[in-house]
Amino acid sequence: MNKVAVIGAGLMGSGIAQTCAQAGYEVVNVDVFPGALEKAEANLNALFDKKVQKGKMTEGEKCEILGRISYSSTYEDVKGAYLIVEAVPEKIDIKKETFANLDQYADEETILVSNTSGLSISEIAAATKRPHKVMGVHFFYPAPVMKLAELIRGLATSDDTYRTVREFAERIKKTIVDAPEFPGFIVNRILVPMQNEAAFMVMEGCSPEDVDNAMKLGANHPMGPLELTDFVGVDVMLATMTGLYEGFHDSKYRPCPLLETMVKAGHLGRKSGRGFYKYE
Ligand code: CAA
């Protein structure tokens, strides 16, 4: 039980791979998109170089952790993993296709975990022939830094699966909360509507700086809601809000039109160089 696979090498997937490797796991990070693995590897090297420069990590520790991560563009390399964490884009069809593929390539006893931020675990599990071995673990960005993991059981998740996943989350040093299988789980159901409301205030004429400063200084948030939206990705935040709206069929979760316009314009936040703020 020392090998895990992480599917997806984007911001979340690469961070989850790093978290697992730091906890001593052998990790294979799989991504089928050209260039994604190279980018993830280069980013992680740069992050660790900075930690060595700052004296927070030795060169030896850096090499040891990096040596535990391998990169692959084929699902065949998930063989031998006792647990697989999926972190592909937040679209139900992509999740279901990924799980159907993993079901074919993973060992029979392997547990499949989704890092969905709000989609139905039961629906994702139904794309496999092992729904009792499917569960949700919701990580937060940046995954190596954020202490929480929300654990979400689907309707068919077995007690054995839950226990093993809980042990995994403990081994990677996360604080665990059990979250209900409803859109947004706990954190996003509370956090994302606040970000959405902040976007409405910008649409009404407030400056992003004023909204963010108000929440940083008036509510002690480490980042303002708009800064956080840029940090996580405007598209990711909009997709989560849309998931709440469609999942609860409640108008209180309607996504702010400004967010939709920003996504159409490619203003996706830090990763695209422009969101509520501009980045170098
Ligand atoms: N990946 C990995 N590590 C990172 C990182 C990243 N993207 N960004 C920062 N870090 C690490 C740094 O390396 C640093 O580690 P060391 O102390 O070992 O050097 C540490 O985090 C602190 O970084 P900084 O000193 O540069 O910056 P900071 O003190 O301002 O903290 C922050 C940065 C931790 C991101 C902080 O601003 C924060 O907590 N922001 C709020 C984050 C948040 O709310 N996340 C949840 C988003 S919602 C979500 O994720 C749900 C979803 O479904 C999308």
Side-chain angles (χ1 to χ4, degrees):
M1 304 229 307
N2 204 44
K3 175 177 172 181
V4 299
V6 180
I7 313 301
L11 289 178
M12 286 312 292
S14 57
I16 295 167
Q18 177 194 338
T19 308
C20 295
Q22 284 175 339
Y25 281 111
E26 295 294 326
V27 185
V28 58
N29 194 183
V30 179
D31 201 309
V32 293
F33 280 97
L37 297 171
E38 290 77 4
K39 196 172 163 193
E41 191 171 6
N43 286 345
L44 188 54
N45 274 300
L47 185 81
F48 277 14
D49 283 344
K50 256 196 211 152
K51 284 189 190 287
V52 172
Q53 274 165 23
K54 285 202 268 178
K56 297 207 162 170
M57 185 183 267
T58 65
E59 188 66 31
E61 284 164 344
K62 173 187 130 179
C63 295
E64 206 182 299
I65 298 167
L66 292 179
R68 284 201 283 269
I69 307 181
S70 59
Y71 295 91
S72 169
S73 54
T74 162
Y75 283 118
E76 279 169 29
D77 289 322
V78 304
K79 292 228 175 310
Y82 86 102
L83 188 141
I84 302 176
V85 184
E86 160 279 312
V88 302
E90 193 67 2
K91 297 256 169 20
I92 191 67
D93 291 343
I94 301 179
K95 300 272 190 204
K96 282 161 82 172
E97 192 187 332
T98 304
F99 271 72
N101 278 327
L102 290 174
D103 198 27
Q104 282 182 24
Y105 286 103
D107 300 339
E108 212 175 305
E109 65 279 12
T110 300
I111 289 175
L112 309 179
V113 159
S114 175
N115 174 54
T116 177
S117 55
L119 298 172
S120 161
I121 300 300
S122 298
E123 186 176 357
I124 294 169
T128 74
K129 294 192 182 70
R130 61 179 94 186
H132 59 297
K133 285 189 168 291
V134 176
M135 210 174 126
V137 177
H138 184 209
F139 291 85
F140 296 84
Y141 181 67
V145 180
M146 302 299 284
K147 296 187 178 80
L148 186 70
E150 291 178 320
L151 301 192
I152 308 101
R153 293 179 72 143
L155 286 178
T157 308
S158 71
D159 290 346
D160 273 354
T161 299
Y162 175 78
R163 265 192 299 275
T164 307
V165 171
R166 205 178 161 93
E167 279 161 20
F168 160 74
E170 281 165 358
R171 179 162 165 197
I172 59 172
K173 299 191 175 63
K174 295 299 176 195
T175 298
I176 296 162
V177 293
D178 290 312
E181 198 197 12
F182 290 125
F185 310 133
I186 297 175
V187 173
N188 279 349
R189 184 161 163 192
I190 297 170
L191 179 68
V192 177
M194 181 193 67
Q195 293 170 268
N196 195 50
E197 199 59 33
F200 269 114
M201 296 190 75
V202 174
M203 208 172 80
E204 288 159 11
C206 287
S207 79
E209 289 84 357
D210 281 348
V211 174
D212 279 342
N213 279 333
M215 293 309 289
K216 280 194 283 194
L217 304 176
N220 255 5
H221 288 196
M223 278 181 170
L226 302 163
E227 229 181 321
L228 181 61
T229 302
D230 277 2
F231 185 60
V232 171
V234 181
D235 51 339
V236 172
M237 189 252 147
L238 175 62
T240 310
M241 197 64 210
T242 306
L244 289 173
Y245 185 51
E246 289 172 355
F248 286 110
H249 309 289
D250 188 331
S251 63
K252 77 176 172 181
Y253 297 115
R254 74 212 180 287
C256 172
L258 174 61
L259 293 168
E260 288 167 344
T261 307
M262 287 173 75
V263 170
K264 283 179 194 153
H267 295 184
L268 306 181
R270 281 198 198 185
K271 63 186 168 189
S272 72
R274 185 162 181 185
F276 286 98
Y277 299 95
K278 284 189 183 154
Y279 303 88
E280 297 271 296

